[in-house]
Amino acid sequence: MIYLDNAATTRTAPEVVEAMLPYFSEYYGNPSSIYEIAGKSKEAITRAREQIAQVIGARPEEIYFTAGGTEADNWALVATYEAYASKGNHIITTKIEHHAILHTCEYLEKQRGAKVTYVDVDENGIVKLDDLQKAITPETILISVMTANNEIGTVQPVEEIGRIAREHNILFHTDAVQAFGQIPLNVDDCHIDMLSSSGHKINGPKGIGFLYIRKGVKSRSFIHGGAQERKRRAGTENVPGIVGYGAAAKLAADTMKERTAKEAELRDHLIHRILTEVPHSRLNGDAVKRLPNNCNISFEFIEGESLLIMLDMKGIAASSGSACTSGSLDPSHVLLAIGLPHEIAHGSLRLTLGAETTKEEIDFTVDQIKEIVARLRSMSPLYEDFLKKQGK
């Protein structure tokens, strides 16, 4: 199998698995207990908190472990809305956020009386800072903009957004699920008050994430029932998961420069070959300001779902820019937000590389894409009509 869906999840690194194993069967004590093996678990959590905090320039006590990025996003929005309700009820976000943000905003609108402004992005998926500035009102309590988009890979001007938020005394949250461990991030430099991340995106285990909450930010407890995570997130800690996340974060930080340079080189090779060898294809997202491992391409006159299935038959794991595989007839909200018409958005493919991806795998994938796209177009009435109009 050629695995090119690393934005969806990654293989847990062997050294991460090795770090986790003792905490399943040897140091299995509950960290809240007082005996020795419980102390080993508590020490491991402290060490992982320090490893993660170091990656983003935070203090260890500002890191709160969750069950993943979705929970962290929900916590950032819901608990902050509750804590700052006396100040206002207005939240600003963008039209291309992950559904963990968009659906939580919808919940707050419908059930809690929040007012939410969904700011537009440009044709490359970059938030329009002028629109963001204009959206601010005296009631605005939170701006939530993702660091990098999970579909098209566009990296947002997080430092500028953070500066705008700080100037207006508004909290700034960023969903960094795709960016953490892939690009340098510093919470102080970017004026970030809250940041969400998920372990399985960086060769860590599934079911573990964290929310960074800057010291001094008011945030209500999100899960009730115990004193864990400084009384803000109750429940016995997932010690093996936390240990694995810490190990994965350290590994990602230590290898970031060399690893992402290799990924970016292969990504650019992949993009160049597709755009020059497959007619009527286009790159989605900014050509430069994008994650080092992300390639999102739209192909006219085909359905992305069909392309995805046929690639799978060739042993290539990828994902489509279309939401067809989730049972929806609508194309990606991200692709529509950057201005793609429905018929082109439906023919999109996301290929996301990893540390183990090789040039040979990329070249084989492009060769297969060329054949499959040509085959699908040969069966397309739309493509036939297009050729007739071109006099071909």
Side-chain angles (χ1 to χ4, degrees):
M1 180 182 70
I2 297 176
Y3 186 74
L4 294 174
D5 200 18
N6 286 277
T9 197
T10 56
R11 182 177 75 96
T12 307
E15 49 267 69
V16 172
V17 175
E18 184 179 354
M20 294 171 65
L21 286 176
Y23 297 91
F24 285 106
S25 56
E26 187 176 353
Y27 306 124
Y28 54 86
N30 188 318
S32 298
S33 300
I34 61 172
Y35 34 78
E36 184 179 359
I37 62 169
K40 294 287 187 182
S41 294
K42 191 170 184 178
E43 289 171 7
I45 291 174
T46 299
R47 184 166 58 251
R49 214 184 295 275
E50 292 170 349
Q51 289 171 321
I52 288 169
Q54 189 172 6
V55 178
I56 57 173
R59 304 173 185 176
E61 62 269 22
E62 296 173 318
I63 303 298
Y64 296 83
F65 290 112
T66 68
T70 294
E71 182 191 326
D73 283 343
N74 275 253
W75 183 354
L77 269 61
V78 175
T80 302
Y81 182 77
E82 292 175 348
Y84 288 84
S86 60
K87 180 185 176 184
N89 67 342
H90 182 229
I91 296 171
I92 299 173
T93 188
T94 79
K95 293 181 177 178
I96 64 166
E97 299 298 308
H98 189 276
H99 283 125
I101 294 293
L102 295 178
H103 288 173
T104 305
C105 284
E106 289 171 13
Y107 159 76
L108 290 173
E109 283 182 291
K110 294 176 181 178
Q111 304 295 328
R112 307 295 290 275
K115 296 179 181 177
V116 182
T117 299
Y118 300 89
V119 177
D120 285 320
V121 295
D122 66 18
E123 66 276 8
N124 291 323
I126 296 177
V127 63
K128 297 180 178 179
L129 295 179
D130 288 344
D131 288 357
L132 188 145
Q133 285 262 28
K134 292 174 184 176
I136 294 172
T137 76
E139 300 292 311
T140 306
I141 56 174
L142 178 66
I143 294 173
S144 181
V145 178
M146 64 196 336
T147 307
N149 187 263
N150 53 302
E151 292 193 30
I152 60 174
T154 296
V155 177
Q156 299 294 346
V158 174
E159 188 172 344
E160 289 88 339
I161 296 169
R163 187 178 301 114
I164 291 170
R166 185 63 55 88
E167 288 171 354
H168 290 83
N169 196 28
I170 297 167
L171 294 178
F172 174 41
H173 165 255
T174 188
D175 175 343
V177 168
Q178 293 293 332
F180 180 79
Q182 281 284 60
I183 59 175
L185 268 177
N186 184 284
V187 291
D188 287 337
D189 292 345
C190 296
H191 312 291
I192 296 169
D193 296 301
M194 291 174 286
L195 179 148
S196 308
S197 182
S198 189
H200 71 106
K201 306 294 187 180
I202 58 165
N203 301 107
K206 296 175 180 65
I208 186 69
F210 76 82
L211 177 64
Y212 156 78
I213 305 176
R214 181 182 294 279
K215 186 177 180 180
V217 171
K218 291 190 297 181
S219 182
R220 299 281 178 87
S221 298
F222 191 60
I223 297 179
H224 307 275
Q228 292 88 355
E229 296 304 294
R230 295 175 292 292
K231 299 183 179 181
R232 285 184 169 180
R233 201 266 187 186
T236 302
E237 295 93 341
N238 173 8
V239 181
I242 290 171
V243 169
Y245 200 179
K250 185 178 186 308
L251 178 65
D254 290 346
T255 63
M256 186 186 298
K257 186 175 181 180
E258 182 180 344
R259 169 175 47 84
T260 58
K262 175 199 168 189
E263 289 175 348
E265 184 178 355
L266 288 177
R267 174 205 66 191
D268 291 344
H269 176 66
L270 170 63
I271 292 171
H272 176 75
R273 278 205 62 192
I274 292 176
L275 295 183
T276 56
E277 298 177 33
V278 183
H280 313 296
S281 60
R282 58 154 283 159
L283 176 69
N284 297 318
D286 195 278
V288 177
K289 299 173 184 176
R290 69 185 304 120
L291 290 171
N293 70 335
N294 178 288
C295 168
N296 188 301
I297 304 278
S298 288
F299 303 93
E300 292 188 59
F301 313 112
I302 69 163
E303 287 286 341
E305 186 178 21
S306 300
L307 175 57
L308 196 62
I309 292 169
M310 294 175 77
L311 283 172
D312 184 41
M313 293 171 65
K314 298 290 186 179
I316 300 167
S319 66
S320 176
S322 167
C324 293
T325 50
S326 66
S328 171
L329 294 177
D330 295 325
S332 158
H333 68 285
V334 175
L335 298 181
L336 295 182
I338 64 173
L340 291 194
H342 280 62
E343 60 272 19
I344 295 179
H346 267 303
S348 297
L349 180 71
R350 183 185 69 178
L351 302 166
T352 43
L353 290 60
E356 298 174 340
T357 306
T358 66
K359 185 173 183 292
E360 290 73 23
E361 289 177 332
I362 293 298
D363 285 330
F364 177 80
T365 298
V366 175
D367 291 342
Q368 298 307 311
I369 288 172
K370 289 168 61 178
E371 290 183 14
I372 294 169
V373 169
R375 181 179 173 189
L376 290 173
R377 284 175 175 168
S378 70
M379 299 182 287
S380 168
L382 291 175
Y383 189 58
E384 185 178 351
D385 290 343
F386 170 78
L387 292 178
K388 288 179 179 177
K389 290 178 181 176
Q390 299 296 310
K392 296 179 181 180

